[in-house]
Amino acid sequence: MADNSFSDGVPSDALEAAKNASNTEKLTDQVMQNPQVLAALQERLDNVSHTPSSYIETLPKAVKRRINALKQLQVRCAHIEAKFYEEVHDLERKYAALYQPLFDKRREFITGDVEPTDAESEWHSDNEEEDKLAGDMKNKVVLAEKEAATGEEPNPRGIPEFWFTIFRNVDMLSELVQEYDEPILKHLQDIKVKFSDPGQPMSFVLEFHFEPNDYFTNSVLTKTYKMKSEPDKADPFSFEGPEIVDCDGCAIDWKKGKNVTVKTIKKKQKHKGRGTVRTITKQVPNDSFFNFFSPLKASGDGESLDEDSEFTLASDFEIGHFFRERIVPRAVLYFTGEAIEDDDNFEEGEEGEEEELEGDEEGEDEDDADINPKV
């Protein structure tokens, strides 16, 4: 029987390996001749070679040393920027004092304590001709109504439900309001923003002023937002200005049976030994806008919050900032809905701009896109 393990003195395993190697080379040649495969490989190589970190790693040590010096300068810039925002806060405090007499008069008009004069009530809109025609039509309707009925037009005190209407108009706030919150919010007469005193840690307080009501004895409910305007030691380059870091609410002195932040439930309990059943009542948390005054505390002991808690805290900070920056300064425009329309138009403009940018990116083949610096 012939021995087939050798052929012309060459082991059969070696022949098989040589054959496989030859087939692999042929397959590699075929793949490398495919233009789509080559393009994909080139794209991966380009991406790897053009990442900033990979480029920095290729630089000489002397250049890296100079880059580290630039980073030190950048940290110093961040600290100067923090001082800038502290002075901005001082300016906000100064101008808040100038705004306050106007806001006090706004409150008087809203509550009906003061009636505006004819000069104070005069307002010329951008569409005066349309308004004039509408006014003429309205006058005709009013005359017709007077002829049909002798009753006088109601003249309520001030502007009823002014702040409550703002809560209904603004989605961010209306989502927090439950049906049983509504009669309480109708007693809201004013919202004020108070800035921290000079020399004190940066913060602001939201004051919600209520008229006497059947729900709680407080005349003012407060929410304090604590802020920080300094670069993080661990990540100084992330500094982009003051940020809210924590908040405190206040105790609400609810009248008996009027606390809408809790609800009473009945629960049956069975005795393990005797088998008897008893019914107990228990108070549990209830969804309400007034939970806004019992906020979740930011973790100060180094422990991280869970994802839901972080989202809740971030939402709270956003609402506080919105009250301060938008609602309080421009209350009448949120009451009429004009500010909401402006916000919606601005958001639509941003979306359109994003779509346009995406279209531009599709057309970029040879020329690099312009990069606009962040303002």
Side-chain angles (χ1 to χ4, degrees):
M1 184 175 180
D3 186 359
N4 294 329
S5 61
F6 287 85
S7 176
D8 297 331
V10 180
S12 59
D13 290 346
L15 290 172
E16 187 67 24
K19 184 178 179 181
N20 290 339
S22 177
N23 291 338
T24 301
E25 289 177 2
K26 290 179 180 179
L27 181 60
T28 302
D29 290 340
Q30 291 175 0
V31 170
M32 295 304 293
Q33 290 174 6
N34 187 324
Q36 293 180 340
V37 173
L38 288 173
L41 287 172
Q42 185 61 47
E43 183 179 357
R44 291 192 63 182
L45 288 172
D46 289 343
N47 290 338
V48 170
S49 61
H50 289 138
T51 56
S53 57
S54 63
Y55 168 68
I56 297 300
E57 290 301 319
T58 65
L59 296 175
K61 288 184 178 180
V63 177
K64 291 179 182 178
R65 179 173 173 274
R66 295 168 195 136
I67 292 172
N68 290 338
L70 294 184
K71 288 184 177 181
Q72 281 204 33
L73 294 177
Q74 190 63 44
V75 171
R76 291 169 65 182
C77 286
H79 284 280
I80 292 174
E81 186 180 6
K83 292 294 183 184
F84 163 77
Y85 282 113
E86 287 178 6
E87 294 194 19
V88 168
H89 189 69
D90 292 337
L91 279 174
E92 286 182 310
R93 185 189 305 110
K94 172 185 174 181
Y95 279 88
L98 300 178
Y99 288 130
Q100 196 54 52
L102 302 178
F103 292 158
D104 290 341
K105 180 162 281 193
R106 177 177 72 185
R107 174 177 177 165
E108 291 174 342
F109 291 162
I110 291 170
T111 59
D113 292 340
V114 174
E115 189 67 25
T117 65
D118 290 341
E120 290 172 328
S121 302
E122 188 176 353
W123 180 256
H124 299 287
S125 69
D126 293 335
N127 302 314
E128 286 195 31
E129 289 299 324
E130 294 180 9
D131 289 346
K132 187 176 183 302
L133 290 173
D136 292 341
M137 290 297 295
K138 183 178 179 181
N139 290 335
K140 291 178 181 178
V141 171
V142 169
L143 289 173
E145 289 177 348
K146 283 184 177 180
E147 291 174 0
T150 58
E152 294 183 358
E153 181 181 1
N155 184 16
R157 182 180 173 88
I159 304 176
E161 302 178 5
F162 178 85
W163 291 100
F164 172 61
T165 302
I166 293 174
F167 271 73
R168 287 191 304 183
N169 288 347
V170 178
D171 290 342
M172 185 186 296
L173 302 181
S174 65
E175 292 172 357
L176 303 176
V177 177
Q178 308 300 319
E179 185 176 353
Y180 38 82
D181 292 327
E182 294 181 2
I184 310 176
L185 289 172
K186 290 178 182 180
H187 294 285
L188 181 59
Q189 292 187 315
D190 198 11
I191 304 176
K192 295 181 179 181
V193 179
K194 296 288 184 69
F195 292 95
S196 54
D197 293 330
Q200 296 298 314
M202 188 182 293
S203 66
F204 67 92
V205 181
L206 298 177
E207 294 183 352
F208 295 75
H209 293 252
F210 287 83
E211 65 183 351
N213 59 79
D214 296 331
Y215 299 90
F216 47 72
T217 59
N218 311 64
S219 60
V220 181
L221 301 181
T222 61
K223 183 76 169 284
T224 302
Y225 286 90
K226 301 174 184 178
M227 304 176 69
K228 183 182 76 170
S229 181
E230 60 180 88
D232 191 315
K233 292 180 179 179
D235 186 16
F237 303 134
S238 65
F239 180 73
E240 294 184 345
E243 59 178 339
I244 298 173
V245 294
D246 202 1
C247 57
D248 292 321
C250 69
I252 302 178
D253 300 322
W254 295 99
K255 295 182 180 180
K256 187 176 180 180
K258 298 295 186 177
N259 188 350
V260 295
T261 64
V262 295
K263 60 183 176 182
T264 302
I265 61 172
K266 293 182 178 181
K267 188 176 181 181
K268 291 184 177 180
Q269 286 185 338
K270 186 176 182 181
H271 194 280
K272 291 182 179 179
R274 296 191 295 271
T276 56
V277 177
R278 66 173 182 173
T279 301
I280 63 169
T281 58
K282 182 180 179 182
Q283 283 193 333
V284 296
N286 196 27
D287 289 337
S288 168
F289 164 74
F290 290 91
N291 290 322
F292 179 73
F293 300 98
S294 301
L296 184 69
K297 294 294 294 178
S299 178
D301 52 9
E303 295 182 5
S304 59
L305 298 171
D306 60 57
E307 187 174 344
D308 289 342
S309 297
E310 285 185 353
F311 177 79
T312 300
L313 203 58
S315 298
D316 191 314
F317 293 171
E318 184 181 1
I319 292 168
H321 182 76
F322 196 76
F323 269 117
R324 166 188 157 170
E325 295 293 326
R326 308 287 289 179
I327 297 293
V328 173
R330 309 178 70 201
V332 65
L333 301 181
Y334 282 96
F335 176 79
T336 61
E338 293 167 82
I340 298 168
E341 292 172 3
D342 289 344
D343 290 345
D344 291 342
N345 290 337
F346 179 74
E347 289 172 4
E348 289 173 4
E350 283 184 332
E351 291 173 2
E353 185 178 341
E354 288 175 3
E355 292 174 1
E356 184 179 344
L357 287 173
E358 289 174 1
D360 290 343
E361 288 172 1
E362 291 175 1
E364 289 174 10
D365 290 325
E366 298 176 358
D367 297 333
D368 292 334
D370 292 335
I371 300 176
N372 293 323
K374 182 178 180 182
V375 177

